[in-house]
Amino acid sequence: MTRENISLDMLNIGTFEIKIKCYLIYTIITTCYRYSTKSIFKLLISMKQNFKFIDRLTCADMVLRKLICFLILLVSDPTRSTSIPDYARAFDPELYERVLDSKECQRQLDFLSNRSLGLSFIDASAKIPSGILTGNVNDFGDYDECLGIHDYVEGMELQGKYCTVLVPWDQMPTNLPETLEDNWLQLFLTYQFRGISGMLEQNKGYAHEVSSIRGRIDPNEHTVFVLSSNETLLGLCIPKVCTTSEALNHVLNYISFVNLTYRDYYCRLPNDKPFRPADYVSMAIFSIIAILTVASSSYEIYNVHVLKKDSSQLHPIYRNFSVFHNTRRFLTFNRNSGQLDCLDGIRVMAMSWITLGHTFCMIIFAFTHNSIYRVIKFRQLETNVIFGAILSVDTFLSISGLLLVYTVVGKIPRDRFLKGIPLFYLYRLLRIWPLLAATLLLEVSLMHHIADGPFWQVVAGDVENCRSNWWRILLHVQNYYRSNCMIHTWYLAVDFQLYILSPIVIVWLFGRKAIAWLILILSVLLSWAVTITYSYTFKMSTILHNFERSADIVTYLDKFYDNTLPRAVPFVVGLMFGYILHLHRDKKLTISRLYVSLFWIYSCIVMFFAVYSLYPMAQSGYDNQAFDSFYNAFARILWAFMIGWLVLACDHGYAGPINWFLSLKIWKIPARLSFAVYLIHLPLLMIFHGSWKETHYFGGTETFFRYLNNLCVTILVAFAMCIVIDAPCSTLQKMLLGIKSNTQNSSNEEPQEAVEDGKSFKTTL
């Protein structure tokens, strides 16, 4: 069935996933409209009726749903084949089949065997790599040179096709002949194979070490994982009309004494990234945004600089997408009473730690020139401090819970909070979605076409998964209903799920202090008990870079790392410290010097324990499951209390120079960008890695400077997204929901209305 044959009658949608997608967008659009014109109670009635789908919908609603479903079918491409890997769908498999011609292949191979033009194909193919003894067992060849071969000779179109094969290290021994025929191709291939045979034999000596740290994309599982088999990846340049086996069989005829086993991996051709429906949808949406931005900016320039009007006299709708207006708002800082300035520095430090950790983590899944050195480096103390970035997520969860209470309790009565819970959830979603949806659109379209390389299927697999599973990201269920799309957004799912559950605790904080403290203490103990249960029930590793425990790492990721229940305790501890800050808002909290000293000593001990305990876990032969379980059970709650004390001490004058440093104005701009930086930094990292043209020489200093380079690019992209997308969408949402706010308020300041607490998410990232 082709997409052209899809009719409106077929849009009743038979699959569960497509129905969910349709209903998701339909409900968002109709709910936003009703919110802007109706009361909350009418909204609840509307939501109840909408669950009946078709029966109770009006004719206009039906048309809207049909159009939405048709758009989703185009973007999701439900007719795609499931017989090929995910990354291959992002390319053009029909093109690869269409160019094949066995007879023409044999003719071209015979021609190239006796012509100097054949040297171009050999030169672009893999050779004996240098640094074999340090773990460089792969050779990509020359990707660009291969795809650049295009010539017409004797009625033949000779064009290069880049292919890769995986050669197992367990090869049958080969006895090379003592005498060789006087043929340059046979001489060259024989000596090359002599070197490759020695390389494969040498690899057996450290096969376990190298295979445990080398990463790639599995063609069947479509996920990044640590390779468990012993294989060498070799890049080959062959005529486009040939298959890999046809070309290799022809080559092996010249060295018939060789018995080489291999398996095909993938092939690439020029212009093999076709435009899919998702690309056209993305281009249409970004084109509309660009037109609105240009028109709005022109409107402001004309009125302010030509007509000499004051900017406050301009129509708020017409100037909403103006780059000048939004940049001015973004760079304007107004300090409100009770604002927690230290959070800016904490967010920037934590986000920098996360991006640095992800930069080093990407090396785990990269083809490196010096794999043995990489193993040694990952076991050193300073590298394990970098990998301690796994605790930065708990920093954000703690701040999220803290701000949730601090910006809600005491601002409105309990009854108003209870009645506004649906709006409480909706505003949270609407504040997250613009940047999240924009990043998704970039992921499914532009990022696939912006660069290329011999191992681009790392990016292509993510692109294709996002094209079919984008709705899981928007629904914030990707931590349970997994898809290999923007995998770092599991945190958004955990944070939003905890946000949904938070009213269960918050509603008790409006009343008597004794009841509030009882509920908070019980919540902390309950969430901690869940964490302890998970930690001691499942055999899990604590770190991601001890590859000798790869099976335990899988359990850790599946059962603990992105699971909401065992990750809830920092959020709940944050609720407790938010309540403490609320009780002492605008008044001094008196703490004796003894207790202040004890709390700082506690904080130093926790930081040392949480970070440096990772060092012994990374060492070869480590297998202390008892300590892993203890760390998983205690490290995060201790870390959350340390973060809570840090904020409390800074707010009430017990942090001295620490508060001065964290409250510097230099942190305000990167703090406002932190959410966008979080969303876009990993897709950009994947582009940088996917466009590598050869194996990467890993070094600690080089990787750090590459991190700084990536961070600068990420900040620039994040700034553009905040100005062009987030700022105008924020204003439109407030207008739509009838929320009054000062247009000069920054997106990271505590909101004046409790229903605006959705912006507290921007404070946590």
Side-chain angles (χ1 to χ4, degrees):
M1 180 188 303
T2 62
R3 189 178 294 107
E4 289 75 8
N5 294 329
I6 298 176
S7 65
L8 284 178
D9 293 336
M10 299 169 63
L11 293 179
N12 289 324
I13 310 304
T15 67
F16 172 75
E17 289 191 7
I18 298 296
K19 182 178 290 186
I20 288 295
K21 295 176 187 178
C22 293
Y23 189 57
L24 166 65
I25 296 185
Y26 168 78
T27 303
I28 292 170
I29 294 176
T30 56
T31 300
C32 289
Y33 171 75
R34 292 184 177 104
Y35 253 132
S36 64
T37 56
K38 306 296 182 181
S39 66
I40 294 175
F41 299 103
K42 290 185 177 180
L43 169 72
L44 297 175
I45 295 173
S46 166
M47 292 173 63
K48 181 178 179 181
Q49 292 175 342
N50 284 344
F51 277 106
K52 298 184 179 180
F53 276 92
I54 299 176
D55 296 339
R56 302 274 181 95
L57 294 176
T58 63
C59 179
D61 290 336
M62 178 67 75
V63 173
L64 176 62
R65 193 176 76 90
K66 296 291 188 182
L67 291 175
I68 292 171
C69 291
F70 183 69
L71 179 62
I72 291 173
L73 282 175
L74 288 177
V75 176
S76 301
D77 195 11
T79 61
R80 70 171 191 256
S81 170
T82 58
S83 61
I84 58 177
D86 282 346
Y87 71 81
R89 298 191 191 105
F91 300 113
D92 191 351
E94 294 182 0
L95 173 64
Y96 302 147
E97 295 293 331
R98 191 166 58 248
V99 299
L100 296 179
D101 187 332
S102 296
K103 292 183 178 179
E104 182 64 17
C105 171
Q106 189 59 48
R107 180 188 173 201
Q108 292 188 11
L109 290 174
D110 291 337
F111 175 82
L112 293 173
S113 300
N114 299 292
R115 297 293 192 281
S116 59
L117 185 59
L119 291 174
S120 299
F121 288 85
I122 294 177
D123 187 53
S125 297
K127 313 292 188 306
I128 304 172
S130 60
I132 294 174
L133 297 181
T134 61
N136 185 30
V137 296
N138 307 289
D139 192 344
F140 289 164
D142 195 318
Y143 178 80
D144 290 331
E145 180 185 11
C146 179
L147 296 187
I149 298 175
H150 195 190
D151 204 351
Y152 292 90
V153 181
E154 297 184 8
M156 294 181 294
E157 181 187 10
L158 293 169
Q159 185 173 9
K161 177 167 68 173
Y162 181 84
C163 294
T164 57
V165 294
L166 297 172
V167 182
W169 294 354
D170 258 348
Q171 296 287 331
M172 295 296 292
T174 300
N175 296 319
L176 298 179
E178 296 182 0
T179 60
L180 299 171
E181 298 179 8
D182 188 15
N183 182 293
W184 69 268
L185 182 58
Q186 185 186 34
L187 286 170
F188 177 82
L189 293 174
T190 300
Y191 284 111
Q192 282 291 314
F193 190 80
R194 188 193 300 272
I196 292 175
S197 298
M199 177 185 71
L200 296 175
E201 186 65 28
Q202 177 65 41
N203 285 346
K204 296 178 182 178
Y206 55 86
H208 174 74
E209 191 77 354
V210 175
S211 66
S212 66
I213 53 88
R214 185 160 58 91
R216 65 175 177 83
I217 297 295
D218 179 57
N220 298 316
E221 297 295 334
H222 332 310
T223 58
V224 178
F225 76 112
V226 178
L227 192 63
S228 59
S229 59
N230 303 321
E231 293 176 312
T232 290
L233 185 142
L234 299 176
L236 306 175
C237 187
I238 64 177
K240 72 173 184 179
V241 294
C242 301
T243 63
T244 307
S245 58
E246 288 174 340
L248 279 179
N249 289 338
H250 179 84
V251 170
L252 293 176
N253 286 335
Y254 287 89
I255 43 177
S256 56
F257 47 84
V258 172
N259 181 23
L260 178 68
T261 60
Y262 64 91
R263 61 189 180 96
D264 293 340
Y265 192 8
Y266 63 89
C267 289
R268 295 292 308 279
L269 281 169
N271 304 316
D272 60 352
K273 297 178 183 177
F275 279 86
R276 304 294 188 192
D279 293 299
Y280 296 111
V281 172
S282 178
M283 287 190 295
I285 293 176
F286 283 123
S287 296
I288 293 173
I289 293 175
I291 292 172
L292 291 174
T293 301
V294 172
S296 184
S297 300
S298 301
Y299 167 78
E300 182 173 8
I301 292 174
Y302 178 75
N303 282 273
V304 174
H305 296 283
V306 178
L307 300 182
K308 304 300 181 181
K309 292 184 179 180
D310 189 86
S311 59
S312 60
Q313 298 177 326
L314 304 184
H315 195 289
I317 291 292
Y318 296 158
R319 72 173 184 179
N320 185 48
F321 282 86
S322 171
V323 171
F324 306 99
H325 171 67
N326 291 326
T327 302
R328 191 164 53 247
R329 286 180 55 205
F330 191 86
L331 299 179
T332 300
F333 303 97
N334 294 328
R335 194 184 190 285
N336 298 326
S337 176
Q339 183 173 319
L340 305 174
D341 292 322
C342 65
L343 292 181
D344 291 331
I346 294 175
R347 290 203 310 277
V348 173
M349 297 299 107
M351 182 52 62
S352 300
W353 199 7
I354 286 177
T355 53
L356 179 60
H358 281 162
T359 301
F360 274 79
C361 277
M362 291 295 287
I363 300 295
I364 298 175
F365 308 113
F367 286 97
T368 53
H369 184 93
N370 51 339
S371 298
I372 299 301
Y373 172 76
R374 178 175 58 176
V375 174
I376 297 172
K377 187 66 177 179
F378 281 2
R379 291 171 180 167
Q380 294 178 352
L381 182 61
E382 61 270 20
T383 308
N384 283 274
V385 174
I386 295 173
F387 283 120
I390 57 176
L391 296 170
S392 292
V393 177
D394 300 288
T395 300
F396 285 123
L397 287 173
S398 301
I399 297 175
S400 182
L402 182 150
L403 285 170
L404 186 56
V405 173
Y406 188 67
T407 58
V408 171
V409 179
K411 297 292 184 70
I412 58 174
R414 177 189 296 179
D415 291 343
R416 183 181 170 191
F417 172 73
L418 290 174
K419 292 179 180 179
I421 284 179
L423 190 58
F424 180 74
Y425 293 149
L426 179 63
Y427 192 85
R428 178 78 160 195
L429 285 172
L430 294 180
R431 289 300 294 125
I432 296 172
W433 271 341
L435 283 178
L436 182 60
T439 307
L440 271 171
L441 284 174
L442 290 173
E443 183 82 13
V444 302
S445 57
L446 179 62
M447 290 185 180
H448 186 41
H449 301 279
I450 198 172
D452 202 2
F455 211 60
W456 189 254
Q457 55 267 50
V458 176
V459 180
D462 197 61
V463 167
E464 190 60 30
N465 280 312
C466 286
R467 287 174 176 175
S468 56
N469 299 312
W470 55 268
W471 61 277
R472 303 181 190 181
I473 308 297
L474 295 182
L475 279 179
H476 299 297
V477 296
Q478 65 270 31
N479 61 324
Y480 289 118
Y481 197 10
R482 288 180 178 82
S483 64
N484 296 306
C485 165
M486 296 177 63
I487 56 177
H488 61 302
T489 57
W490 67 266
Y491 165 78
L492 300 186
V494 171
D495 185 81
F496 184 73
Q497 290 158 17
L498 292 172
Y499 190 89
I500 291 176
L501 297 174
S502 64
I504 299 175
V505 176
I506 293 176
V507 70
W508 298 98
L509 307 184
F510 290 92
R512 297 172 55 186
K513 294 181 182 179
I515 297 178
W517 276 111
L518 176 63
I519 295 299
L520 285 170
I521 292 173
L522 289 177
S523 299
V524 171
L525 292 177
L526 179 61
S527 59
W528 188 23
V530 172
T531 302
I532 293 174
T533 301
Y534 273 81
S535 299
Y536 283 94
T537 300
F538 301 102
K539 182 181 179 181
M540 300 180 295
S541 175
T542 299
I543 59 177
L544 305 178
H545 57 287
N546 187 339
F547 309 108
E548 295 176 0
R549 303 185 61 189
S550 57
D552 295 343
I553 293 174
V554 173
T555 304
Y556 175 64
L557 294 173
D558 184 56
K559 302 295 185 182
F560 189 91
Y561 190 75
D562 53 1
N563 190 337
T564 301
L565 294 178
R567 298 304 295 266
V569 63
F571 183 87
V572 180
V573 171
L575 296 178
M576 177 181 291
F577 276 92
Y579 186 67
I580 296 174
L581 290 170
H582 156 67
L583 293 178
H584 299 86
R585 192 193 307 265
D586 298 327
K587 58 183 178 181
K588 179 72 173 180
L589 174 62
T590 303
I591 306 175
S592 67
R593 290 186 178 181
L594 174 62
Y595 284 110
V596 170
S597 300
L598 290 176
F599 288 146
W600 281 116
I601 292 173
Y602 161 83
S603 298
C604 293
I605 293 174
V606 168
M607 290 180 65
F608 182 86
F609 164 75
V611 174
Y612 288 99
S613 292
L614 303 179
Y615 173 69
M617 300 177 187
Q619 304 310 306
S620 178
Y622 174 84
D623 191 20
N624 189 345
Q625 183 58 49
F627 186 65
D628 278 331
S629 299
F630 175 81
Y631 185 93
N632 289 330
F634 287 87
R636 285 171 174 82
I637 187 172
L638 296 176
W639 185 269
F641 273 103
M642 185 269 292
I643 295 296
W645 161 250
L646 177 60
V647 177
L648 184 66
C650 289
D651 188 49
H652 288 274
Y654 297 107
I658 297 177
N659 180 50
W660 168 83
F661 176 76
L662 294 176
S663 301
L664 289 174
K665 291 184 178 180
I666 194 176
W667 306 128
K668 288 192 174 296
I669 292 179
R672 293 186 181 186
L673 292 171
S674 57
F675 178 45
V677 168
Y678 170 75
L679 288 176
I680 201 67
H681 83 278
L682 196 58
L684 290 179
L685 271 176
M686 294 184 68
I687 290 176
F688 296 147
H689 281 257
S691 57
W692 282 355
K693 300 301 173 67
E694 57 186 14
T695 55
H696 177 70
Y697 193 92
F698 170 69
T701 304
E702 180 273 337
T703 303
F704 180 76
F705 279 104
R706 188 161 50 85
Y707 150 73
L708 294 178
N709 174 67
N710 295 345
L711 183 62
C712 290
V713 175
T714 301
I715 289 175
L716 291 176
V717 176
F719 182 80
M721 293 177 64
C722 286
I723 298 301
V724 176
I725 296 173
D726 186 58
C729 287
S730 173
T731 303
L732 289 176
Q733 289 158 11
K734 292 173 184 177
M735 292 178 179
L736 179 67
L737 300 179
I739 297 174
K740 297 180 180 180
S741 64
N742 187 349
T743 57
Q744 295 298 325
N745 278 354
S746 63
S747 62
N748 80 320
E749 294 173 351
E750 283 75 38
Q752 300 300 313
E753 297 286 342
V755 292
E756 291 189 70
D757 180 63
K759 287 198 295 184
S760 69
F761 180 83
K762 305 301 277 260
T763 3
T764 63
L765 279 173

